Amino acid sequence: MRVLLTGSSGWLGRYLAPLLADSGHKVTGLDVAPGTHTQVVGTVADRALIERTMGEYGIEAIIHGGALHKPDIVRYPRQAFIDVNVTSTLNLIEAAVAAGNDRFLFTSTTSLMIRSDVRAGAGEAGAWWMDEDFGPIEPRNIYGITKLAAEQAVKLVHREHGIAALILRTGRFFPEDDDTHASPSGPNLKANELLNRRLTVEDAAAAHLAALEAAPAIGCDTFILSAPPPFARAEAEELARDARAVIARHHPDAAALYAAAGWVLPETIDRVYDPSRAERRFGWRARSDFGSVLAALRNRTAQPFAHDPGYISPIARQERDSCMC
Ligand SMILES: NC(=O)c1ccc[n+]([C@@H]2O[C@H](COP(=O)([O-])OP(=O)(O)OC[C@H]3O[C@@H](n4cnc5c(N)ncnc54)[C@H](O)[C@@H]3O)[C@@H](O)[C@H]2O)c1
């Protein structure tokens, strides 16, 4: 298919564009910042540009991954989040309908489910078990608010016009350091997060490809993308009290492998993302999980996740470089 990929210069885009191309799709990348996989440099908020691009490249499907996201909160006013995340999503899906496309993918975020009480820690029943039915949803920042509004706009256009529309609520896959956690940090933190709230960028890209192919058969649905947790829902209470005991049950050698690496396991886990609907409905399951982390420690091979403390979004890099001139 001829696919328009927004955010093609970004972290996801640089993995997803080649994966789509290798799978036989003809990809047109659109991003406000230039990049290897970006043919159209411009903003998704520019409706005329979107309509022109749809026609010029004969676009048959859109994957909308371009966005301002959490690290951008300190860099941009709230209005920019509304323009880029909400207005652009509406522009794109309406352009898709006008062009007669039968499918649209929206890259959303698990972060919109993190209310202030979820962020504060485990709930009364233990770790929050977060699947697509989790609610009520009350995002705590402008990033989550605009992603939720965009999800609603996508569903509205699906209801009105029937275009297949899949919403991919993606867990963490960024390569940079977390901006809020101090200890543990770096690769240790990323390894721990593969237990309950992270996936690799390769797996995120593979999920988008699988969703693109399955979309017409699904119609409209929301999916959490994360590495499969080793835990069962029945362990939620114990996870919030003694995560190490639960981890030991599923991975008896985890403590020794971690100790040898000088890493620490989480003492408690207060939320678990459940990606099982994506597996049930379109057959995607992340290839890398916490078991892969342990295998890498055991075999002294590279960890499955990328870690790059220096990574910043292309749009932020572009702005930083223009300020330095
Ligand atoms: N990185 C994560 O851990 C994570 C987690 C959950 C969801 N997501 C979502 O995944 C998607 C991709 O994120 P990423 O990690 O690749 O981020 P990224 O910042 O590396 O890439 C986003 C891209 O969007 C582009 N962009 C920003 N504003 C634009 C505009 N107005 N017009 C066109 N392009 C614009 C940026 O230039 C950038 O290349 C985003 O929708 C993000 O919300 C990311």
Side-chain angles (χ1 to χ4, degrees), residues 148-168:
L148 181 60
E151 285 190 359
Q152 295 294 335
V154 165
K155 289 188 201 173
L156 174 72
V157 175
H158 162 75
R159 283 196 299 275
E160 287 177 353
H161 298 281
I163 182 170
L166 302 196
I167 292 162
L168 304 178

Side-chain angles (χ1 to χ4, degrees), residues 26-177:
K26 174 97 184 74
V27 187
T28 300
L30 184 149
D31 199 296
V32 78
T36 312
H37 306 290
T38 297
Q39 289 75 37
V40 182
V41 176
T43 173
V44 282
D46 179 348
R47 192 167 183 131
L49 173 71
I50 301 300
E51 282 166 5
R52 222 171 36 244
T53 304
M54 296 296 289
E56 260 174 40
Y57 291 86
I59 298 301
E60 297 168 296
I62 298 179
I63 302 179
H64 181 29
L68 292 183
H69 65 126
K70 184 160 169 270
D72 296 314
I73 291 176
V74 293
R75 299 193 273 254
Y76 295 93
R78 290 174 175 177
Q79 186 62 49
F81 277 78
I82 292 170
D83 296 342
V84 175
N85 293 356
V86 186
T87 308
S88 72
T89 306
L90 197 57
N91 284 348
L92 284 158
I93 193 165
E94 287 185 347
V97 169
N101 289 186
D102 70 348
R103 66 197 79 184
F104 183 88
L105 295 194
F106 174 55
T107 313
S108 189
T109 173
T110 48
S111 150
L112 65 81
M113 301 189 293
I114 309 309
R115 304 184 302 240
S116 50
D117 57 340
V118 176
R119 188 165 172 71
E124 276 174 22
W128 301 94
W129 196 267
M130 310 195 73
D131 61 15
E132 294 80 358
D133 298 324
F134 178 84
I137 291 184
E138 199 172 326
R140 69 185 192 287
N141 57 33
I142 192 67
Y143 173 49
I145 288 169
T146 52
K147 283 286 189 178
L148 181 60
E151 285 190 359
Q152 295 294 335
V154 165
K155 289 188 201 173
L156 174 72
V157 175
H158 162 75
R159 283 196 299 275
E160 287 177 353
H161 298 281
I163 182 170
L166 302 196
I167 292 162
L168 304 178
R169 277 190 194 159
T170 310
R172 298 177 151 205
F173 58 85
F174 57 78
E176 66 266 36
D177 273 320

